[in-house]
C-alpha cells in the first residue's frame, strides 16, 4: 500500500473530516478525497461511512486505522530518537501513571525536572487503564504492579501500602478509634470498590466494610479521597507516600494496613538510548531515594 495514501487516510480518520484533515496536511479537500477514493479502490473496500456530520469509519476502516495509528506512533518515536541530542534533553515525553500517583506524588515534583530541562514537553496521561508501551501508546509508565508485557525495561521504584489517615481537626471532633470495631462509628472515605485499582487497597476497604460503617464516601481516585480527608470529612484509606507532602495527617489504627504494593517504572526497549527517557528515569529515581530517606528518618523519630 502507498504510504502517502495511508498517511492521508490516518489524518482523515483522526479528524473525522476531509476538510479538517486537509487543513492539517495542507491539501485541498478535493485532493484528500481523491486519495481516499484511490485507497478504497486499491483495497476494494469502503473505509468510511459518509454523512452530513462528517465521516465514520467502517469496520474495515477501524482495522486499517489501528494499523496506521501503530505505524504513526512508531514513526514519531523514531523521529524523537533521531532528534535526541547527546548533550540536551528536549522534545515530547509521554508519561502514563495512575490518577492518584500522578496528581499527588509526581506532578508536585515536576518543577524540579523542568528547572533542569526547560525544553522538555511532558504529556502526563493519568488513568487506571494500563497503556500499551510496545504499541507506543506512551513512552514511560509508572504502575502499581510489575508490567507483564515483553520487551520492556522495568525498574522497581518502591513499595507502598494503603493506610488510614485523618486530620487532627476531624479526630478532635469525633474521637480517635482505638480498635477496628470502632471504625463503624466514623465516616470512611475510600476508592469506590468498583473502580480499577490495586487489589491490596480494595482488600483493605473490604475488610473495613465488614464492620457495618454507618457513613461512607467513595471516590474513583485517591486525589478525591485526599480532598475529602483534608476537609475533615472522615477517615480515609490513602497510600502512605502522601505522608511526605501532608505530614499533618494523623495515621489512624497504626496496625491496620494493606499488603505491600510494588511501584514499577517501565519503558520500551527501543527507547533505551533516549535522553528524554533517561532524564525522567533518573529524576524519578532521585526523588524516590529522597522520599525513602525522609521516610526512614520519620520512622526512626
Amino acid at each position: 500500500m502507498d504510504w502517502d495514501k495511508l498517511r492521508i487516510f490516518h489524518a482523515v480518520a483522526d479528524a473525522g473530516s476531509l476538510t479538517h484533515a486537509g487543513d492539517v496536511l495542507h491539501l485541498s479537500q478535493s485532493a484528500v478525497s481523491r486519495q481516499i477514493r484511490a485507497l478504497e479502490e486499491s483495497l476494494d473496500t469502503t473505509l468510511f461511512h459518509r454523512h452530513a456530520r462528517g465521516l465514520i469509519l467502517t469496520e474495515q476502516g477501524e482495522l486499517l486505522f489501528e494499523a496506521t495509528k501503530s505505524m504513526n506512533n512508531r514513526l514519531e518515536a523514531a523521529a524523537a530518537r533521531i532528534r535526541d541530542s547527546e548533550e540536551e534533553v528536549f522534545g515530547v515525553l509521554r508519561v502514563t501513571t495512575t490518577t492518584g500517583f500522578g496528581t499527588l506524588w509526581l506532578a508536585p515534583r515536576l518543577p524540579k525536572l523542568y528547572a533542569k530541562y526547560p525544553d522538555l514537553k511532558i504529556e502526563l496521561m493519568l488513568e487506571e487503564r494500563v497503556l500499551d508501551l510496545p504499541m507506543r501508546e506512551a513512552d514511560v509508565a509508572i504502575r502499581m504492579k510489575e508490567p507483564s508485557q515483553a520487551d520492556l525495561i522495568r525498574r522497581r521504584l518502591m513499595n507502598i501500602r494503603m493506610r488510614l489517615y485523618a486530620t487532627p481537626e476531624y479526630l478532635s471532633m469525633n474521637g480517635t478509634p482505638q480498635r477496628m470495631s470502632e471504625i463503624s462509628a466514623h465516616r470512611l472515605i475510600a476508592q469506590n470498590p468498583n473502580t480499577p485499582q490495586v487489589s491490596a487497597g480494595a482488600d483493605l476497604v473490604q475488610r473495613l466494610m465488614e464492620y457495618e460503617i454507618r457513613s461512607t464516601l467513595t471516590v474513583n481516585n485517591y486525589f478525591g479521597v485526599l480532598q475529602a480527608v483534608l476537609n475533615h470529612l472522615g477517615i480515609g484509606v490513602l497510600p502512605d507516600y502522601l505522608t511526605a507532602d501532608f505530614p499533618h495527617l494523623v495515621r489512624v489504627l497504626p496496625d491496620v494496613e494493606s499488603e505491600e504494593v510494588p511501584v514499577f517504572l517501565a519503558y520500551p526497549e527501543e527507547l533505551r538510548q533516549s535522553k528524554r527517557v533517561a532524564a525522567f528515569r533518573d529524576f524519578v529515581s532521585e526523588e524516590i531515594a529522597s522520599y525513602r530517606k525522609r521516610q526512614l528518618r520519620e520512622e526512626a523519630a
Side-chain angles (χ1 to χ4, degrees), residues 187-195 197 205-206 209 213 215-226 228 233 235-237:
R187 182 174 296 108
L188 183 70
I189 309 167
Q191 267 203 272
N192 189 313
N194 297 322
T195 60
Q197 58 178 301
V205 172
Q206 187 175 4
M209 291 295 189
I213 296 171
S215 178
T216 63
L217 170 66
T218 58
V219 192
N220 64 351
N221 59 67
Y222 285 121
F223 179 78
V225 174
L226 175 65
L233 198 57
I235 297 173
V237 178

Side-chain angles (χ1 to χ4, degrees), residues 23-41:
D23 292 341
V24 172
L25 298 167
H26 305 293
L27 295 172
S28 67
Q29 180 180 339
S30 59
V32 173
S33 180
R34 281 196 303 271
Q35 293 289 342
I36 295 299
R37 193 160 52 248
L39 180 60
E40 289 179 323
E41 289 173 358

Side-chain angles (χ1 to χ4, degrees), residues 155-192:
R155 174 182 293 187
R156 190 165 184 158
L157 297 173
M158 62 177 175
N159 297 317
I160 62 174
R161 291 180 186 269
M162 308 305 163
R163 293 170 172 167
L164 296 172
Y165 296 96
T167 59
E169 292 86 347
Y170 173 83
L171 297 174
S172 175
M173 290 186 294
N174 298 277
T176 303
Q178 301 300 316
R179 54 183 64 88
M180 281 275 278
S181 59
E182 294 178 8
I183 199 77
S184 61
H186 294 265
R187 182 174 296 108
L188 183 70
I189 309 167
Q191 267 203 272
N192 189 313

